[in-house]
């Protein structure tokens, strides 16, 4: 789980090595606890986000949910996998289910940040920006929330808010650029990646 943040937040100088290690740990978790819903859902998100195998992850997420339908994080991560595959409407339903199940979750900022991208990729920029603002308020050190929010603001039209979000993002990840966003993205639909990247460009994020 912490390797997801290590790579996603840009905290490592060796992302490939961290990704490989996360994959090894995920495989070990599944082998040691094949009927543990939390182990399955965390392992599947490693496969979806870091290893960029969302179709495989979606199968594991469905198994995790069949074992424990009340595990909020499983609904959230399942939504991620579906969004990576381009099914943003179903993704939103699952992510909102996570918030419904655990409205006081210590990682509510993560659930709130999750719904930014499906809204963004559906062209619902106002909703994406609103979700981004909430996620940033809940955890101002979670850089992923700034990225999706920034793209939405870029599509809405660059202005003072976009400039502020951009400045705060670059304090967290000083070297982050559009090329990094594209390289890290596990999205499988080319148009989704381009929509995300285009919003970042419009908001003023450097290309590379």
């Amino acid at each position: 789980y912490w390797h997801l943040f290590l790579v996603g937040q840009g905290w490592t100088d060796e992302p490939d090595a961290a990704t490989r290690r996360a994959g090894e740990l995920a495989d070990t978790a599944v082998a040691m606890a094949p009927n543990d819903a939390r182990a399955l859902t965390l392992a599947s998100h490693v496969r979806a986000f870091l290893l960029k195998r969302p179709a495989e992850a979606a199968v594991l997420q469905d198994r995790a949910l069949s074992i424990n339908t009340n595990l909020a994080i499983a609904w959230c991560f399942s939504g991620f996998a579906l969004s990576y595959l381009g099914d943003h409407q179903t993704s939103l339903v699952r992510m909102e289910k996570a918030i419904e199940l655990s409205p006081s979750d210590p990682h509510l900022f993560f659930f709130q940040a999750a719904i930014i991208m499906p809204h963004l990729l559906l062209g619902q920029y106002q909703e994406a920006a609103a979700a981004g603002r909430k996620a940033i308020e809940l955890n101002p050190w979670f850089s992923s929330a700034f990225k999706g929010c920034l793209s939405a603001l870029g599509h809405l039209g660059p202005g003072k808010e976009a400039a502020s979000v951009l400045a705060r993002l670059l304090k967290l990840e000083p070297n982050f650029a559009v090329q990094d966003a594209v390289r890290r993205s596990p999205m499988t639909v080319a148009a989704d990646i381009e929509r995300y990247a285009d919003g970042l460009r419009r908001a003023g994020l450097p290309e590379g």
Side-chain angles (χ1 to χ4, degrees):
Y1 185 52
W2 297 117
H3 277 75
L4 291 166
F5 287 95
L6 186 68
V7 177
Q9 294 279 111
W11 289 339
T12 176
D13 294 327
E14 298 181 343
D16 292 340
T19 295
R20 285 193 299 273
R21 180 57 178 156
E24 293 167 359
L25 292 169
D27 289 344
T28 301
V30 173
M32 294 180 68
N35 294 312
D36 185 303
R38 184 173 293 274
L40 287 172
T41 198
L42 292 176
S44 71
H45 193 55
V46 168
R47 294 181 186 185
F49 177 62
L50 294 183
L51 302 181
K52 301 183 181 180
R53 287 150 42 189
E56 179 182 326
V59 174
L60 279 181
Q61 291 292 4
D62 285 344
R63 174 162 172 74
L65 288 170
S66 72
I67 294 170
N68 185 352
T69 57
N70 293 316
L71 185 60
I73 199 169
W75 286 101
C76 181
F77 283 163
S78 175
F80 270 119
L82 292 175
S83 184
Y84 297 156
L85 293 167
D87 187 356
H88 308 304
Q89 291 286 7
T90 307
S91 170
L92 276 173
V93 171
R94 295 199 173 192
M95 290 171 173
E96 288 166 356
K97 178 71 171 180
I99 296 173
E100 177 187 340
L101 282 170
S102 191
S104 299
D105 198 282
H107 283 180
L108 183 60
F109 74 90
F110 191 85
F111 298 165
Q112 193 65 54
I115 68 176
I116 299 170
M117 292 304 290
H119 278 307
L120 172 73
L121 299 174
L122 287 168
Q124 298 168 355
Y125 303 129
Q126 292 284 3
E127 291 87 344
R133 294 183 192 105
K134 290 180 182 178
I136 290 169
E137 288 173 5
L138 288 169
N139 188 337
W141 295 281
F142 185 49
S143 65
S144 292
F146 287 88
K147 296 164 188 174
C149 185
L150 182 65
S151 180
L153 292 171
H155 282 290
L156 289 170
K160 289 184 179 180
E161 185 179 8
S164 174
V165 171
L166 176 59
R168 294 176 69 184
L169 169 59
L170 293 178
K171 282 186 178 180
L172 295 172
E173 291 192 47
N175 299 315
F176 187 69
V178 174
Q179 67 177 12
D180 298 306
V182 172
R183 176 176 52 81
R184 294 183 197 173
S185 175
M187 291 183 278
T188 61
V189 179
D192 288 345
I193 297 173
E194 180 51 35
R195 187 190 294 264
Y196 173 42
D198 186 48
L200 294 174
R201 291 188 191 99
R202 290 171 184 242
L205 187 70
E207 189 69 33

